[in-house]
Amino acid sequence: MSQPTTVEPGATGRGDHEGPGRGPEGRAPGRAARFTASRRRPGAPGIGLRLLHVLALPTLIVGVYWAITAQPGASFYTPTPAAIASAFADLWFSERFFVDVLPSLGRLLTGFAIAAVIGVGLGVLLGLDARVRATIEPVLEFLRAIPPPVLVPLMIMLAGIDDSMKIMVIVFGCVWPILLNTVEGVRAVDPVLSDTARCYGISGVTRLRVLVLRSASPQIMAGLRLALALAIILMVISEMFASSSGLGFAIVQFQRTFAIPEMWAGMVLLGVIGFLLSSLFELVEGRVLGWYRGLRAANRGE
Amino acid sequence: MTATLQRPQPGRFAPRRPVLSRSAPNRPLLGSLGIIGLLALWEIAPRLGAVPERYFPPVSEVLTTLAQRATTAPFWEAIGHTLYGWALGLAIALAAAILIGFALGATPRLRAFTTSTVDFLRPIPSVALIPLAVLMYGTDIRSTLLLVVYACFWLIYIQVLYGVADVDPVAEQTARSYGLGRLARIRYVVWPTTLPYLMTGLRLAAAVGLILSITAQLIIGSPGIGAQITNAQQGGAVALVYAWIVATGILGVVINIGVRALERRVLRWHTSVRGEVAV
């Protein structure tokens, strides 16, 4: 009887991830496999074809967009790529980068870091103790279900519109995926490994470091990845809603003053930041989870 | 969990207590205790002056406000607006992701051309589109839809791609040798393989879609819960802001439970769900 109820939240926590044991753990193993496969196959596509794969569609899209917007009757709201590029260079390669972009990034990373520390710390505590977990799980389920943007108005009342408000919003939004994934990861520590560690007298901090955090790390990383995407969204929202500086504020300002190419330049910069941060995260994840990928690949017999 | 129970504890004659309690804590009881504890704390702390009552109204006041509002039509209208944007956006994203995901997943040659574009577009935060949505659609529902669809589409699409790629080659070849046509293979081989992935994507997208639906109302000001919260905040009605936050929390929980129930129903044939029920 108790079994379905104990498994059910398991599915929930990992629901923030990719799928309860059905899907591949995260997307990267699949991708890694694809890459190695294409490298090893005798008839693998040459460098030229691969370049074509990467560049063809983006070129086509930009080309078509350019052709449409360059016509005399084109909409005022869609400037040509050339106009956007020049606005981009003028705007962000100036002191605005230090006034608007860097503080935004600082808040983003601060909030994300705080959320990571709280999420992993609390997650380990909850994951290790079933009683505490059972007590506070319904409360967490509720808090997690609150869409974080609704807290922006509240935080403004509590903390004003300064940095601490934005950081609080980011922390509150990001902490849930990290927390829940950590709980699941810690809970799912292989009991054989756990007993082995106990037999060898491994306990305390060492046990935490070499057993618990290590075996939970794939899940923790999955939670962190989701949280990072959320952090960017929340950073922008908190700045758009009420602020006097920052990237989100700047973009809204451009939109209200109908500085259309500048607005597009801001949107492009946001896209670039999102892309760079997620690439960076993938790099870090690859290093942290290298052992795990290797293990999985070995298990699959590759 | 059961494995922990059955396994003999090396070097111990009696099972240690923590192992037992880890296997079977009284979850409903402890869970209610947790909720009651939170409510009590929320009620007592402002009353004792531990936190400023002006900014943290006690829970009784918040819930009374919520109950009062829940009898008025604008309350349900706002929720209706939010849910409408959420559901429609999610449906569009789902349909598009299934169509494009199956089409591209089935033709690896075409897919190779789209990978770079997808990898670039996917991490773009959907809120970056807010200014564009405002310019093109104003406070219309289409602004909300644009954000919700953009955010949800990638989540589901990526899952569909993995699902389609996960088809068991033996099953595929078996289906071929039994003479199943392309459509029949999609129906009986590819679709069931993809479905668990699809449901995972849907579950993630349902939560994110609600976030963006409310975000659009907060920032763009289209009617719905977000706009109501903005009004309450600007009017200084602190208890009302809390009441709305509680309401969105409840809405989120209901959506989570609904999607999970749907998932269990759709996948009841799947081992991951069957296994749970069988034990």
Side-chain angles (χ1 to χ4, degrees):
Chain A
M1 175 54 219
S2 80
Q3 191 60 18
T5 35
T6 36
V7 173
E8 170 59 4
T12 322
R14 246 171 299 180
D16 276 328
H17 176 28
E18 313 273 29
R22 312 168 184 130
E25 285 284 324
R27 57 175 192 271
R31 174 176 300 173
R34 204 169 65 220
F35 275 156
T36 37
S38 64
R39 226 177 273 148
R40 279 180 199 160
R41 221 179 329 137
I47 184 103
L49 186 57
R50 256 189 278 159
L51 226 90
L52 191 68
H53 281 162
V54 172
L55 293 178
L57 189 60
T59 317
L60 187 73
I61 293 174
V62 172
V64 168
Y65 176 81
W66 202 321
I68 294 174
T69 52
Q71 278 165 6
S75 166
F76 172 64
Y77 295 141
T78 51
T80 61
I84 298 175
S86 85
F88 189 94
D90 288 349
L91 268 180
W92 306 125
F93 297 134
S94 67
E95 79 274 14
R96 283 206 84 121
F97 183 78
F98 299 101
V99 178
D100 282 331
V101 183
L102 280 187
S104 288
L105 283 176
R107 288 190 283 260
L108 169 79
L109 293 178
T110 314
F112 181 67
I114 298 176
V117 171
I118 298 179
V120 173
L122 209 60
V124 168
L125 282 180
L126 289 179
L128 288 177
D129 192 320
R131 277 165 182 278
V132 179
R133 191 169 64 235
T135 311
I136 126 173
E137 202 155 52
V139 174
L140 291 185
E141 279 289 314
F142 177 76
L143 289 178
R144 170 179 91 115
I146 298 176
V150 304
L151 297 170
V152 176
L154 182 68
M155 298 287 179
I156 289 173
M157 293 202 296
L158 299 183
I161 61 167
D162 58 354
D163 283 358
S164 58
M165 173 280 274
K166 288 162 201 144
I167 294 175
M168 270 159 72
V169 171
I170 295 176
V171 170
F172 187 90
C174 294
V175 83
W176 307 114
I178 306 177
L179 176 67
L180 293 167
N181 274 297
T182 308
V183 170
E184 284 317 311
V186 170
R187 234 178 63 168
V189 169
D190 185 353
V192 176
L193 279 181
S194 172
D195 286 348
T196 312
R198 198 177 293 152
C199 285
Y200 279 106
I202 298 172
S203 63
V205 179
T206 319
R207 180 179 142 86
L208 199 66
R209 194 168 54 84
V210 303
L211 174 69
V212 176
L213 284 181
R214 177 49 66 109
S215 53
S217 59
Q219 293 253 24
I220 296 179
M221 290 312 275
L224 286 175
R225 186 168 16 155
L226 267 170
L228 185 63
L230 259 179
I232 303 176
I233 292 181
L234 290 173
M235 172 198 90
V236 177
I237 292 173
S238 64
E239 289 173 355
M240 279 182 170
F241 192 79
S243 184
S244 49
S245 72
L247 191 49
F249 171 76
I251 294 177
V252 167
Q253 204 63 14
F254 293 139
Q255 174 236 315
R256 290 194 180 139
T257 53
F258 289 93
I260 303 300
E262 284 78 7
M263 179 195 93
W264 275 89
M267 290 166 54
V268 171
L269 181 65
L270 264 186
V272 170
I273 289 177
F275 178 74
L276 285 182
L277 281 180
S278 94
S279 312
L280 193 70
F281 186 86
E282 222 153 84
L283 219 70
V284 174
E285 192 185 56
R287 285 197 78 93
V288 173
L289 296 185
W291 61 275
Y292 175 71
R293 308 258 158 82
L295 193 70
R296 279 180 62 88
N299 284 348
R300 279 200 307 266
E302 278 174 19
Chain B
M1 285 270 157
T2 9
T4 333
L5 249 186
Q6 288 157 352
R7 218 160 2 84
Q9 291 293 307
R12 282 194 184 77
F13 295 106
R16 292 194 316 156
R17 271 209 61 210
V19 174
L20 255 185
S21 65
R22 194 181 301 152
S23 312
N26 191 340
R27 299 176 55 87
L29 180 74
L30 287 174
S32 344
L33 273 181
I35 295 174
I36 292 169
L38 176 81
L39 292 179
L41 187 72
W42 188 358
E43 181 69 32
I44 293 167
R47 296 230 182 263
L48 291 180
V51 290
E53 195 171 347
R54 183 168 141 50
Y55 293 121
F56 291 95
V59 67
S60 53
E61 196 183 326
V62 172
L63 291 185
T64 323
T65 314
L66 181 61
Q68 279 168 2
R69 288 282 155 164
T71 55
T72 60
F75 178 88
W76 295 105
E77 257 169 45
I79 290 185
H81 279 301
T82 301
L83 281 184
Y84 180 63
W86 169 80
L88 194 57
L90 195 60
I92 296 174
L94 183 68
I98 290 178
L99 275 180
I100 301 178
F102 269 81
L104 285 183
T107 43
R109 278 193 196 170
L110 268 182
R111 193 188 150 181
F113 282 99
T114 60
T115 310
S116 63
T117 313
V118 170
D119 279 350
F120 182 74
L121 288 180
R122 195 161 46 100
I124 293 179
S126 49
V127 283
L129 299 175
I130 287 180
L132 194 63
V134 175
L135 284 183
M136 290 198 307
Y137 305 125
T139 58
D140 200 68
I141 177 121
R142 281 175 295 175
S143 312
T144 312
L145 284 182
L146 181 67
L147 297 186
V148 176
V149 170
Y150 189 86
C152 295
F153 173 79
W154 299 115
L155 285 172
I156 308 176
Y157 175 71
I158 292 295
Q159 290 287 326
V160 171
L161 278 191
Y162 286 121
V164 172
D166 192 41
V167 168
D168 183 0
V170 176
E172 169 81 13
Q173 280 154 17
T174 311
R176 268 175 202 274
S177 54
Y178 275 106
L180 265 67
R182 180 174 272 271
L183 275 181
R185 281 205 309 273
I186 287 182
R187 170 71 188 82
Y188 294 108
V189 180
V190 184
W191 176 252
T193 313
T194 312
L195 203 52
Y197 290 86
L198 184 66
M199 292 311 293
T200 303
L202 185 66
R203 193 174 51 195
L204 286 172
V208 170
L210 184 66
I211 292 180
L212 281 159
S213 173
I214 291 182
T215 301
Q217 296 155 359
L218 264 178
I219 292 179
I220 304 175
S222 39
I225 295 177
Q228 295 281 337
I229 294 178
T230 317
N231 287 344
Q233 180 242 333
Q234 280 162 358
V238 183
L240 187 54
V241 174
Y242 277 95
W244 272 116
I245 290 176
V246 171
T248 53
I250 295 173
L251 194 63
V253 170
V254 169
I255 285 179
N256 279 347
I257 293 176
V259 176
R260 245 178 275 154
L262 178 75
E263 186 175 16
R264 294 172 75 87
R265 205 182 146 66
V266 172
L267 295 178
R268 52 169 184 243
W269 50 272
H270 195 274
T271 40
S272 68
V273 174
R274 251 182 10 215
E276 287 174 26
V277 182
V279 174

